[in-house]
Amino acid sequence: MRATKTVTALLVVILMPFKTYAQKIVIAHRGASGYLPEHTLEAKAMAYAQGAHFIEQDLVMTKDDELIVLHDLTLNRTTNVDEKFSERARDDGRYYAIDFTLDEIRTLSATEGFRMESGRKVKEFSNRFPIGKSAFRVSTFQEEIEMIQGLNTSTGRDVGIYPEIKQPAFHRKEGKDISTRVVEVLKDYGYTRKDSKVFLQTFDYDELVSIREEILPSVGIEVNLVMLLGNRTDYPWMFEPDGMAKLAFMADGIGPSFDLIVDRGSEMRAIRITDLVAQAHGAGLHVHPYTFRANPEAVPHYASDFENLLEIHYFRAGVDGIFTDFPDQAVDFLQSR
Ligand code: G3P
Ligand code: CA
């Protein structure tokens, strides 16, 4: 097994530097969330139409064990839960999705993400969709898969899904095994092999191991697993010289913050690329950093504009794909190459 993996890794090392623009991918981060409220079916349909290769689903569980597509454990930031269920907040003032049934969540309006400032709702990004306008709702994992698979049927394309299991330790503490349920749904919808169009992601390494060694075998499927990396401190061993090689026994790819690929302190004339992509490719891992946003305030000062930021990561650092709120711009960029 180890020998096979080593040979595979060597082949990947040989082939990966020659990956062309046509093989690089665009992952729609929470859908086309730069244009429509994140994780709504409308934002996912727009991402699909803009040419994304994969569409992301962040997943949390409801009180009645349904999987919903929601980034936060709580409903505060992206729905009107405070208006509909004002008495249902926990002591910390937050409305946890896990305290609500799916039927209750279906009564909520989904909206552009906001924060409270002096009692007012203020958008996280100023140029985005207005808060509380039109009619959006929270959808289930199954509803979203059915829409993407339906579009694959009607368009002849083969767009993939990119689900993330959100805070599995929190779910376990609440008595819920979210990972097993996610894997069961993947099986129900035909995502059963390493060449299925799915990457399953998590920030929790212990959960990744459990998925690889216990849950996938018990459900009877194999899919690609991606370890998300937010910083160098949660799992310092992954950043040691043999870290990616060790990780490759459990994962098929990494999803790092892009600050782990290009040093945020870089200057335009002196871009400092870390060794993470080389180490990961050396171990045969895909590299899909997050999150690329075209809003001027989200483009680091070492890049002249969003297109330059894409150029630096796709072609100078050599990543295989990126998560972006603006899939149209990343697709156009790759096509222009
Ligand atoms: O999963 C990749 C990226 O989405 C991680 O960040 O916080 O947006 O889920 P987050
Ligand atoms: Ca995510």
Side-chain angles (χ1 to χ4, degrees), residues 26-43:
V26 175
I27 305 148
H29 180 251
R30 311 183 197 172
S33 55
Y35 303 102
L36 281 164
E38 67 181 54
H39 281 320
T40 57
L41 286 181
E42 290 82 353

Side-chain angles (χ1 to χ4, degrees), residues 9 19 60 62 88 90 97 100 103 113 132 137 141 155 177 183 200 210 217 235 238 254 280 300 316 327-328:
K19 192 169 265 188
V60 304
T62 65
R88 299 273 295 276
R90 290 193 185 185
F100 294 82
D103 281 349
R137 67 178 179 86
F141 188 29
T155 65
D177 178 1
V183 171
L200 179 58
S210 163
Y235 301 104
M238 292 183 192
I254 57 169
R316 290 171 67 177
D328 56 335

Side-chain angles (χ1 to χ4, degrees), residues 232 235-248 275-285:
R232 290 178 171 268
Y235 301 104
W237 62 266
M238 292 183 192
F239 296 90
E240 290 171 5
D242 61 352
M244 289 295 113
K246 285 181 179 165
L247 180 61
D275 62 1
L276 186 61
V277 177
Q279 297 280 357
H281 282 172
L285 296 167

Side-chain angles (χ1 to χ4, degrees), residues 27 29-30 38-39 56-58 71-72 162-164 166 201-203 226 228-229 255-257 288-291 293 323 325:
I27 305 148
H29 180 251
R30 311 183 197 172
E38 67 181 54
H39 281 320
E56 188 198 28
Q57 302 79 34
D58 292 311
H71 177 268
D72 304 354
Y162 211 125
E164 178 187 345
K166 279 294 180 194
Q201 43 166 346
T202 178
F203 277 103
V226 169
L228 298 171
L229 305 170
S257 160
H288 299 158
Y290 65 88
T291 300
R293 297 182 167 108
F323 286 87
D325 294 0

